[in-house]
Each structure stands twice: as structure tokens, then as C-alpha cells.
Amino acid sequence: MSGQTSPSNPTITDPYQHIQIIPNPDGTITRDPNRYPNSSPSPDPKDPTPVLSKDIIINQSEKTWVRIFLPRQTIVDSSSTSKLPLIVYFHGGGFINCSASSTVFHDFCSSMVLDLHVAVVSVDYRLAPEHRLPAAYDDAMEVLQWIKTTQEDWLREYVDYTRCFLMGSSAGANAAYHAGLCVSQEADNLVPLKIKGLILHHPFIGGVQRTGSEVKLVNEPHLPLCVNDLMWNLALPLGVDRDHEYCNPMVDGGSKLWKNVRLLGWKVMVTGCDGDPMMDRQMEFVDMLVTKDVRVVGHFSTGGYHVVELKEPSKAKALHALLKDFMVDAPAA
């Protein structure tokens, strides 16, 4: 997919208009309520849907919550004794858009539950610019502590707490690895929850210096460079640039906390494609983890676009096949 300007791929000059947000004088933004449709949960086992889901409030004052997904068959089949691996999932949206109820992420989590036979806890974290980073990372950590202590029956009865993976798409992948780095400092404090690996689906990362893929795909319609820059401008703490550690994982040689990830034996998967402007940086990220002796595997496909698997079922199936192998191969408890 070329980033050169063409009649079907024109120059994008107004990133606010492109993603349908309006900046307000007080620093907040007004989002188009119709841009990202939402789906309601389906918690009733009598509902014939193959995947059940329900919402649980995590922090009333911060308005954070999670949506839990389980295979319906797991609940209705009382003879089943095997428990499910857990994926703690963080949605995308550049840290400024979407939620755990956004249909695109609801459907993606449901498909993972069916294809991988897992439970999913999808995190609804606070959005920027109203809540700039590290708010989303703080919310991620609060959810992990909640999972550790909750008596929620869908988790206690059906989930294997020793097989947990942190996963996210785009900005959610960024949140997943930052949460993972934080957890790596206090992994014992999460027992009985044990993290086995990080799954970073098209991670949203950046930097001040432009990469070759960013230059080539400057007007890529799914994530043009000016939109990418705007999202970081709205998400990062005030007064910092894209070489801040929240955005650029390679700054200063990368976080020293990756040593903890290596010592814990966690495995890391990074996926991307050459239609994503961030691919060069994602590949550099993988190379950096290799130098730190982290057990990392990178999968970069030809064609597509940023988080293509969210919109194309055949691509999602291919990703699920990779995830199935990755989760089986993760270190034993």
C-alpha cells in the first residue's frame, strides 16, 4: 500500500476532521457519538449467543469498568472441569477514542473467545486528553489488582489464574506492555494471577525522528501521519515530545524493566504489517527486545493496514492461529 498521494489516497490536512473530533477551549475534545458504534453485553446463559459477556464497574469515581467474555458452553456445561486461560485485553483508539463496548472491539474479543477457547477481560480505561497518560496505565494496574482479589464468579469458577496474558491492539498494545513492565517489578504481589506473556497487536508507538515507513505512508488513510501526531499530542503529558518513554520504547536504549520480563521468562509477541506506518518502528522494537534477551517473536505480514485484523475476519483467523501457538508455547507455571 503506497503512501503517495493519489485520487484515492489524498493529502490529509485536517487531522481533527479526519477522526471527527472537535477541540474545546478547556483542553477537552468533543467526539462524534456515531463514529464508533457500541454493543451491549449478553450476560444471560439462556441467550443462544455463543459468547456471553457482562460489565463490572472497577472504579466508580474514575468511571472505569471491564467487560468479561466467556464461552457460553463453559457456563451451561456443568460437567466441564477445565479452566480457561485469561487474556486481559486493552482496546485501541489512539488513547483518545473508543471503549470496551465499541462494537469493533466487542466483536474482536468475542471471536478470540471462540477461536482460542479463552476468557477475556476487556478494560475500559480513561481517555485523553481529559485524562492524559499515564492514566490508562494506572487503570490497567488497578484492573489487574481487581482480578487478583475479586470474587466475581465468572473469573473464580472458570478462569485459570496461572495462565494470564496481557494483550492490546494499537494504543491498547502500548498500554499492555507498559502495564507489563509495571507488573514485572511486583509479579509476586499479583499471586494467584500469573502473567505468562504480552501480546502486542500493531502496537501504537512513535518518536520524533521519522522512519521510512512513516514517510512512505504519510497519507495512509487508516492512520495518516498527521493523525498519529495529533493523537500523541493529545495523549502525552503536557510539555513532552514523542521521544517520551510512553511513546518511544527505544528511547535511552529502552526501559531497564525489560530485564525483569526476561528473568520472569515471559514471552512477547509483536505483530504488524507493511501497510502500517508504524511497522519500521515496531520492527525496531522487536530488535531491541532481542538485544535484551527477551523471548520475543515478531510477525509482520505483507499488505493490510493498521490493526487490519479488527476489520477483516480472514486476517483475524490468521492472527488467532499465531496466538494459539504462542499461548501453548508460553512458559509453564
Side-chain angles (χ1 to χ4, degrees), residues 44 55-57 60 76 85 95 139 191 195 203 226 230 240 266:
D44 189 349
D55 296 346
I56 305 289
I57 293 173
Q60 186 81 47
V76 300
F95 290 115
D139 296 342
V191 174
I195 310 299
C226 64
L230 173 63
V240 307
W266 296 356

Side-chain angles (χ1 to χ4, degrees), residues 239-252:
V240 307
D241 63 22
R242 293 190 306 277
D243 279 337
H244 190 278
E245 62 179 332
Y246 296 163
C247 176
N248 188 345
M250 281 74 71
V251 69
D252 296 329

Side-chain angles (χ1 to χ4, degrees), residues 12 72 78 99 101 133 155 162 191 201 214 228 246 274 333:
I12 295 156
R72 177 178 176 273
S78 58
S99 77
S101 64
L133 296 174
L155 296 182
T162 69
V191 174
H201 174 225
E214 288 174 340
N228 190 316
Y246 296 163
D274 68 4

Side-chain angles (χ1 to χ4, degrees), residues 79-99:
S79 65
S80 177
T81 58
S82 60
K83 294 192 172 186
L84 304 173
L86 173 64
I87 291 177
V88 181
Y89 179 78
F90 303 90
H91 68 80
F95 290 115
I96 66 170
N97 267 321
C98 302
S99 77

Side-chain angles (χ1 to χ4, degrees), residues 143-157:
V143 166
L144 293 176
Q145 287 293 332
W146 174 81
I147 293 173
K148 167 190 171 179
T149 60
T150 184
Q151 295 305 307
E152 164 57 44
D153 58 349
W154 277 22
L155 296 182
R156 289 294 170 179
E157 291 186 27

